[in-house]
Amino acid sequence: MLAAPLLALALLLTGCSSGAAPEKTPVGVPGQGAAGPQSDAASALRSSPSPLPAPSPAEIPDLGPETLAQIPAEARQAFVVTGEEADSYRSSAVLYSRADPAQGWEPVAGPWQAHNGMEGWTDHHVAGDRRSPRGVYTLTDAGGRLPDPGALLPYDEHPRFAVDGEGFFGEPLEGSFDYVVAINYNREEGVSPLNRTRPLGLERGGGIWIHVDHDGPTQGCVSVPEERMEELLRTLDPEMNPVIVMGDAESLRR
């Protein structure tokens, strides 16, 4: 486990204009009749307030302009993983959706407890640093040791997802890769999470996944409980161009 990709955003603004109200016929001018109902309507038009501007689409809370700018305009699902501190391995996760771009983002699942890299977060992940890469990355491929639970993303069931041994605190790692979603950091899109191609080079790490939590920190991945992984796999939709937004809370506010 070690590293991940991707990013950007979109806002929709609308406006309108109205014509000027017709002039009211003066009252009491020689040769003119008294003002009628049409004159009263014209006066009401002149005194009516201007139309209110359309509200801006809702943004994902606690994300700063730098982070929001990395979410692609075409992304309509965002899995936001927020670390407690820059050097903490504890985090929380919320899935947002914008089925209607005019309405903006809304939470559809979470918050869930999560873990990230043992040493926290980094803007420049390298192999073996035990930190999770900050950033916005696309999510296109999934897999696991267990049969497909109904994933919408392409799913690779393979025995090579089996893992054993112990985590940093002696917790068993068995079952951690029963379900995974590849984070597109330093990897090719459209292939199994098991693919080891590293476009940025081996020194920049790779194999950064969302996977089943083992009650402890990771080498650089993000982990959530197994039932949440199943829910995520059934919800992340390639038609909605899902991304993960990940980092410590302070960095995500940039």
Side-chain angles (χ1 to χ4, degrees):
M1 318 179 221
L2 294 145
L6 235 244
L7 31 160
L9 133 113
L11 285 175
L12 183 63
L13 300 176
T14 60
C16 59
S17 60
S18 57
E23 268 194 50
K24 181 178 177 182
T25 303
V27 179
V29 177
Q32 301 281 345
Q38 188 172 358
S39 306
D40 295 335
S43 177
L45 280 172
R46 283 202 301 272
S47 62
S48 62
S50 301
L52 294 175
S56 298
E59 296 288 6
I60 298 173
D62 302 318
L63 299 187
E66 215 177 285
T67 302
L68 287 169
Q70 297 179 57
I71 301 177
E74 65 272 15
R76 292 189 290 131
Q77 287 180 323
F79 189 54
V80 180
V81 179
T82 306
E84 291 182 357
E85 303 286 346
D87 298 327
S88 171
Y89 55 79
R90 293 186 176 91
S91 51
S92 62
V94 178
L95 179 63
Y96 291 86
S97 174
R98 55 175 174 188
D100 180 358
Q103 296 298 318
W105 295 98
E106 61 177 352
V108 294
W112 303 334
Q113 288 188 338
H115 285 101
N116 52 272
M118 176 66 178
E119 304 297 330
W121 302 89
T122 180
D123 288 324
H124 187 81
H125 176 73
V126 294
D129 67 3
R130 297 178 177 179
R131 291 182 179 270
S132 298
R134 296 183 182 106
V136 179
Y137 306 100
T138 53
L139 303 172
T140 56
D141 306 286
R145 184 183 65 86
L146 296 182
D148 184 350
L152 301 178
L153 297 174
Y155 187 90
D156 178 28
E157 179 188 349
H158 203 288
R160 283 177 55 202
F161 284 104
V163 62
D164 55 19
E166 295 182 342
F168 290 105
F169 300 142
E171 73 279 10
L173 298 179
E174 185 177 357
S176 298
F177 302 155
D178 283 355
Y179 301 117
V180 313
V181 175
I183 297 172
N184 289 340
Y185 165 85
N186 199 18
R187 71 177 298 269
E188 286 188 358
E189 298 183 14
V191 296
S192 168
L194 294 169
N195 186 285
R196 297 187 61 81
T197 302
R198 303 289 180 253
L200 300 178
L202 295 177
E203 70 281 359
R204 295 298 305 277
I208 303 295
W209 299 340
I210 308 168
H211 64 69
V212 176
D213 190 62
H214 48 77
D215 295 322
T218 72
Q219 295 280 350
C221 294
V222 168
S223 61
V224 297
E226 182 169 2
E227 64 273 19
R228 303 308 186 192
M229 277 301 303
E230 293 182 21
E231 182 178 350
L232 197 61
L233 285 165
R234 296 187 187 112
T235 306
L236 292 177
D237 185 348
E239 295 296 320
M240 298 184 75
N241 301 299
V243 298
I244 184 170
V245 182
M246 53 194 284
D248 57 281
E250 183 176 358
S251 72
L252 292 182
R253 287 194 291 267
R254 294 188 292 209

